[in-house]
Amino acid sequence: MTINHPEQKKQFCHVCGNPLTEKYWEGKVRPFCRQCQLPVYENPVPASAIVVTDKEINLLLVKRNVDPKKGYWSLPGGFMELFETPEDSALRELKEETGLTGAIKSLLGVKANNSDRYGTVLIVGYLVTDYSGHLTPGDDAEEVAFFHPDRLPEIAFSSHDHFIRTALSQLGGMPNIIPAV
């Protein structure tokens, strides 16, 4: 897998605010703070995604109204916040983007997507089959809708396509899904 690095490099230490330099540290050139005498590690950004299915195994998708992939359909999900578990993050994003609350049935896996902005986004996928609430787009979703697995629109991210395939496999049905771009 080729990793794209963000266009913008970190310039200042997040602890003391002093300018960063580069230093060979632990086998790699890294941003380094001379004041703190510590490297600044650049780690993947954690995120979550949820496959939600109804009783007929239709899949809930959100139409994105933000970049990247604005206008494409994706799973509900987003970035994990400090002091959240991955599960709490996923359920918070579900509520924010769709108006639904749910209970996680299973872990679907962990994937990484390249990101021009963040370098690497590490996504944890979950399956939800038990949910409640009034379906309504919110947060960064333009639309929300359930789709039959045989009639899915183009999915925004390859990781989301993977989680969809994994969920359908767990649920006993693997229709012909259009691959993500």
Side-chain angles (χ1 to χ4, degrees):
M1 173 167 71
T2 302
I3 301 297
N4 298 327
H5 294 283
E7 296 290 324
Q8 300 174 342
K9 290 187 174 190
K10 293 180 177 129
Q11 297 180 20
F12 301 96
C13 177
H14 63 284
V15 176
C16 71
N18 280 305
L20 295 172
T21 61
E22 288 188 336
K23 183 175 180 178
Y24 189 78
W25 187 270
E26 296 176 339
K28 182 178 179 178
V29 175
R30 300 178 189 277
F32 191 85
C33 178
R34 290 181 194 257
Q35 177 69 30
C36 296
Q37 288 295 302
L38 293 171
V40 175
Y41 293 102
E42 298 184 290
N43 299 316
V45 177
S48 60
I50 295 187
V51 175
V52 178
T53 61
D54 65 11
K55 301 288 187 233
E56 290 79 39
I57 309 184
N58 293 308
L59 298 156
L60 178 63
L61 298 175
V62 299
K63 189 172 188 181
R64 298 176 57 80
N65 68 6
V66 296
D67 281 321
K69 301 284 189 163
K70 182 177 181 177
Y72 285 80
W73 291 89
S74 69
L75 296 173
F79 294 113
M80 190 173 146
E81 307 236 352
L82 289 176
F83 311 110
E84 265 185 330
T85 65
E87 297 84 356
D88 290 342
S89 168
L91 294 173
R92 175 184 50 77
E93 288 287 348
L94 177 64
K95 177 70 171 167
E96 288 176 3
E97 293 184 3
T98 69
L100 301 179
T101 58
I104 292 173
K105 178 176 181 165
S106 65
L107 172 69
L108 296 172
V110 179
K111 297 293 283 182
N113 275 358
N114 293 338
S115 167
D116 289 336
R117 186 170 193 181
Y118 301 106
T120 304
V121 178
L122 185 70
I123 306 108
V124 181
Y126 297 99
L127 175 62
V128 167
T129 57
D130 183 25
Y131 60 88
S132 62
H134 178 69
L135 188 61
T136 182
D139 201 29
D140 54 2
E142 181 180 322
E143 296 178 49
V144 291
F146 279 92
F147 291 85
H148 187 275
D150 285 330
R151 294 185 290 283
L152 294 178
E154 186 175 353
I155 304 300
F157 305 108
S158 61
S159 56
H160 290 200
D161 183 63
H162 172 81
F163 295 140
I164 290 168
R165 290 173 184 273
T166 302
L168 291 173
S169 178
Q170 282 184 10
L171 296 169
M174 241 336 251
N176 212 1
I177 299 174
I178 302 169
V181 171

